[in-house]
């Protein structure tokens, strides 16, 4: 059995963007396993030297060339990561030159511009959206529905909560969360409180067997988690969505990113944060 | 006055990674304003044709060449976005060939591998972490502290809540949130409930004037929001952090990404989600 290859993500900031792009690229090579190491905030020659030493050590130990995804604004520091013992792919270097040429000006080569919090309004929009989602999880006051940018409706465990939070954090969108729950007679109705906000509703549904699996993790052997009940509830809400003209998506095989991005674009919401 | 140049982000998936990298690159060109258009889920020749038409229309209207950041696994669809009227930079194309060469195998060219939810355990870890953070915002039950990967402590509005949620969503980390609140005599103490979990604590602090600004948005003209009180509270918690040996960071000029990433790495937490 061969040693696992080490993948480094080295960034002068958080490394989160480089991690995501690196992950996306490596997911194209199925069946390969990697040891992953992120080295964030590498913003000085000293730190770059330490990172280079770590990469060299991995090359010596693994008997496989490490892969280094980097994202470094400073050219001198970036070049310190270009080692013979590893493949270095820098996301910044590849694109900054054609952009400079297209825009007809030099880039500022200043670290940390993207996540600058100098824009207090944008910062506030994001935190406000998070607080809104937190305050209105599973049951929103009617007078606050007016404030929501979008109101997610669906059965319990269809993905509303993480979607609301992701939309708040990533896009600054105030997403409210309104669960559709069976009434005493088993029927599910669109609550009267939502009537004035029909245009803001977005429905989530999910495959019954997947819903049963998720609910079983929470309440094993309950009526709530039974496949029969999950079939009934999802059929009911899908009928409501169609009858009432509420746009909806099936979250079964979608990540939180995919659900959030789909709603953002289909509902034509304006993001407050970039 | 010149027309604003349009920046397109075109992706066969959500476009979120490409948006982040594009934003990071463009933030290097200060003072330029762009119109931003994201076209997600462009995964067929038909949709690529529509995207190309939109890019061409922007080129005609703006009298400035659009910039197109794309991230397309399929080569044919990717090539449909290479228009003479725009600068196209594809994040996938630039890196997949050197990776194929290094890894000695062809990539699968399959869309959507990165956000595949086929790994039910990883999906669960993320949702569980989100539910954990939601359930334990502002006041956690002592018996649940044992379950937390990290416990964030700090004064009200120092950034604990969004950081907990971001760590849950991005890393699958169970982050609890324990507010440090002045007691009757004005003093702030580390609560007794936290004593057994000293090794899991991570402190947040913030510049008093910034804290006063944030609190004023919430409760104008209150003692809570006054600069004097904010000075007192932050001095108290910083003294506690130093006295008790709790690692801490100052969140004043940091984004949620930066705070989360710093804690992840300084506390040597193991992320559950990639």
């Amino acid at each position: 059995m061969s040693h696992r290859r080490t993948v480094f993500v080295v960034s002068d900031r958080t490394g989160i963007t480089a991690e995501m792009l690196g992950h996306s690229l490596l997911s194209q090579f199925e069946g390969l396993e990697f040891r992953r190491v992120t080295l964030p905030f590498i913003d000085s020659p000293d730190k770059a030297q330490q990172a280079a030493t770590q990469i060299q050590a991995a090359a010596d130990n693994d008997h496989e060339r490490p892969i280094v995804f980097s994202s470094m604004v400073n050219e001198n520091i970036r070049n310190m990561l270009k080692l013979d013992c590893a493949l270095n792919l820098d996301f910044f270097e590849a694109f900054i030159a054609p952009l400079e040429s297209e825009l007809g000006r030099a880039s500022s080569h200043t670290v940390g511009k993207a996540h600058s919090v100098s824009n207090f309004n944008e910062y506030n929009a994001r935190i406000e959206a998070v607080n809104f989602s937190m305050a209105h999880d599973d049951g929103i006051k009617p007078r606050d529905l007016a404030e929501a940018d979008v109101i997610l409706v669906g059965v319990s465990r269809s993905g509303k909560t993480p979607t609301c939070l992701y939309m708040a954090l990533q896009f600054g969108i105030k997403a409210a969360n309104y669960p559709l729950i069976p009434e005493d007679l088993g029927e599910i109705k669109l609550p009267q409180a939502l009537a004035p906000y029909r245009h803001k509703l977005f429905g989530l549904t999910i495959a019954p067997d997947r819903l049963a699996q998720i609910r079983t993790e929470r309440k094993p052997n309950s009526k709530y988690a039974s496949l029969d009940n999950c079939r009934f509830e999802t059929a009911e809400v899908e009928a409501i969505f169609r009858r009432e003209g509420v746009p909806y998506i099936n979250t079964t095989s979608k990540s939180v990113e995919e659900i959030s991005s789909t709603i953002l674009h289909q509902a034509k919401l304006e993001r407050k944060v970039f």
Side-chain angles (χ1 to χ4, degrees), chain A:
Chain A
M1 202 186 123
S2 74
H3 291 262
R4 277 198 301 176
R5 201 187 279 260
T6 306
V7 173
F8 288 92
V9 172
V10 189
S11 170
D12 49 25
R13 302 309 290 166
T14 67
I16 291 172
T17 305
E19 280 177 332
M20 287 167 67
L21 185 52
H23 180 61
S24 171
L25 286 162
L26 290 179
S27 67
Q28 288 294 313
F29 299 91
E30 284 171 84
L32 294 182
E33 297 234 337
F34 303 98
R35 189 170 74 93
R36 295 161 191 275
V37 179
T38 299
L39 306 175
F41 306 111
I42 304 299
D43 52 8
S44 71
D46 275 2
K47 291 184 193 166
Q49 188 50 58
Q50 287 172 27
T53 304
Q54 264 186 272
I55 295 164
Q56 182 68 59
D60 295 342
N61 284 331
D62 294 352
H63 306 287
E64 293 263 25
R65 273 160 61 89
I67 293 168
V68 182
F69 294 117
S70 64
S71 175
M72 313 295 282
V73 170
N74 183 292
E75 202 177 333
N76 295 332
I77 298 179
R78 187 197 301 146
N79 287 336
M80 293 177 67
L81 300 173
K82 297 198 179 306
L83 308 175
D84 289 338
C85 67
L87 173 70
N88 178 239
L89 301 173
D90 190 278
F91 299 146
F92 199 84
E93 181 178 39
F95 302 111
I96 202 70
L99 279 173
E100 287 183 336
S101 158
E102 179 69 35
L103 295 169
R105 62 165 77 185
S107 63
S108 66
H109 290 286
T110 312
V111 172
K113 290 288 171 189
H115 285 304
S116 163
V117 289
S118 57
N119 187 336
F120 189 65
N121 291 335
E122 191 166 298
Y123 176 85
N124 265 349
R126 190 177 194 186
I127 301 305
E128 254 185 46
V130 168
N131 290 338
F132 183 87
S133 293
M134 293 292 290
H136 303 307
D137 187 58
D138 268 326
I140 181 169
K141 290 177 211 131
R143 65 182 166 82
D144 294 326
L145 290 169
E147 212 191 314
D149 296 312
V150 64
I151 302 165
L152 303 190
V153 288
V155 299
S156 160
R157 300 287 119 177
S158 54
K160 299 185 302 299
T161 295
T163 304
C164 283
L165 293 171
Y166 191 86
M167 295 188 81
L169 281 165
Q170 190 71 23
F171 305 134
I173 297 284
K174 286 185 185 170
N177 170 350
Y178 211 108
L180 299 180
I181 298 168
E183 296 182 355
D184 290 345
L185 296 172
E187 199 185 9
I188 298 182
K189 285 181 184 164
L190 207 56
Q192 200 52 41
L194 296 178
Y197 306 105
R198 189 72 52 92
H199 61 290
K200 290 189 193 178
L201 301 185
F202 208 102
L204 302 189
T205 189
I206 183 170
D209 56 337
R210 171 77 167 159
L211 182 60
Q213 189 186 17
I214 293 170
R215 287 182 170 185
T216 295
E217 290 274 319
R218 202 182 191 197
K219 290 189 190 168
N221 304 317
S222 60
K223 185 195 169 203
Y224 167 80
S226 74
L227 184 56
D228 270 358
N229 182 57
C230 291
R231 276 204 190 104
F232 168 76
E233 287 195 23
T234 52
E236 283 271 300
V237 298
E238 288 172 27
I240 290 173
F241 296 154
R242 284 191 296 266
R243 192 170 65 232
E244 307 278 350
V246 174
Y248 69 100
I249 53 168
N250 189 314
T251 65
T252 310
S253 58
K254 289 192 169 61
S255 67
V256 175
E257 285 85 352
E258 287 169 336
I259 302 165
S260 302
S261 173
T262 301
I263 294 169
L264 183 81
H265 290 91
Q266 282 194 17
K268 296 192 196 313
L269 299 171
E270 203 177 319
R271 62 191 291 176
K272 313 288 188 333
V273 172
F274 285 95

